[in-house]
Amino acid sequence: MEFNPSLQQGKLIKRYKRFLTDIELADGSVITIHCPNTGSMKNCLFPGETVWFSTSDNPKRKYPHTFEIMTTPTGDMIGVNTGRANDLAEEGIRSGAITELQGYRNLKREVKYGDENSRIDLFLSDGEQANCYVEVKSCTLLENNCGYFPDAVTSRGQKHLRELILMKQQGYRAVLLFLVQHTGITKVAPADHIDPEYGQLLREAAKKGVEILAYQAKLARHSVDILTSCVIDLK
């Protein structure tokens, strides 16, 4: 997935009011950019380090710039735009990079499903095998050489797990895909220390046949692509 135009850079000052971030440009000026991330962004914000941002030509936007990537002090890159996760997942399926989700002719997004007024991120079908429901989660929290999800208590994430379990019980294929947007993460585990109920539900889902996958994104100034699968640790 190419960034066009290429991302611009600045230095992080602070993120505030959840959706706003102040950065300093090379000439010393300060601008406010949109931060498309509703999570806590724990361990993802490093004041003084390089921020990469995109620019929209939509004249109706109050803040035309969007926070895309955070660079860590150790040189890793973090994709902070959670909206990119679904795009990457779709691209990974269509390109064949996500090998477990091949063989479907049709792919739709944001399809209504379940009993709790939900929409599935990706719906795969072909009329010859069971429909496949894919929920995508962006994983960016790195602690002790492991990636964790979620980075805050998530009642919405818990709901999605219940819906996936229901789909599996109804005879469909149900998949939870962790899209890792942190170049330092090679293993993903449930964040029991943050949301123990989510961890319990995730393990229950796996036992009931929901497939748990994790793929890492390759992040760069000019592009972001699916790189490789990651280890899942449900112990």
Side-chain angles (χ1 to χ4, degrees), residues 149-214:
F149 185 89
D151 64 2
V153 175
T154 172
S155 58
R156 185 168 180 267
Q158 294 167 16
K159 179 184 76 167
H160 291 156
L161 285 173
R162 292 192 297 269
E163 298 281 45
L164 288 175
I165 291 172
L166 177 63
M167 292 300 99
K168 181 62 180 178
Q169 291 173 336
Q170 292 181 354
Y172 302 113
R173 189 179 177 194
V175 177
L176 180 66
L177 171 63
F178 290 114
L179 205 296
V180 178
Q181 295 198 80
H182 192 310
T183 58
I185 294 176
T186 57
K187 180 174 69 172
V188 177
D192 297 312
H193 57 300
I194 294 175
D195 189 344
E197 185 173 347
Y198 184 89
Q200 181 180 352
L201 274 170
L202 180 62
R203 293 177 179 88
E204 178 185 346
K207 290 179 181 178
K208 291 184 176 180
V210 174
E211 300 168 57
I212 315 298
L213 307 177

Side-chain angles (χ1 to χ4, degrees), residues 33-105:
I33 66 176
H34 174 60
C35 180
N37 192 311
T38 60
S40 72
M41 294 184 68
K42 183 179 181 182
N43 293 358
C44 290
L45 297 170
F46 302 92
E49 297 295 332
T50 299
V51 165
W52 298 94
F53 63 93
S54 58
T55 302
S56 171
D57 58 4
N58 184 350
K60 296 182 179 180
R61 284 188 53 167
K62 182 177 180 179
Y63 301 101
H65 308 298
T66 300
F67 192 171
E68 298 285 353
I69 295 173
M70 180 79 241
T71 305
T72 75
T74 57
D76 284 317
M77 302 183 83
I78 304 172
V80 301
N81 186 347
T82 55
R84 299 282 181 191
N86 288 0
D87 295 335
L88 283 167
E90 178 177 347
E91 185 177 272
I93 293 170
R94 293 191 185 281
S95 69
I98 302 179
T99 58
E100 297 91 340
L101 299 178
Q102 300 305 298
Y104 296 92
R105 290 196 298 267

Side-chain angles (χ1 to χ4, degrees), residues 8-12 23-26 48-53 70:
Q8 298 170 274
Q9 71 180 87
K11 299 293 183 181
L12 177 66
I23 63 172
E24 180 180 353
L25 302 180
E49 297 295 332
T50 299
V51 165
W52 298 94
F53 63 93
M70 180 79 241

Side-chain angles (χ1 to χ4, degrees), residues 111-126:
V111 173
K112 289 184 177 181
Y113 82 119
D115 288 345
E116 300 184 51
N117 193 31
S118 301
R119 289 181 179 272
I120 196 69
D121 291 319
L122 302 173
F123 175 72
L124 308 176
S125 64
D126 66 4

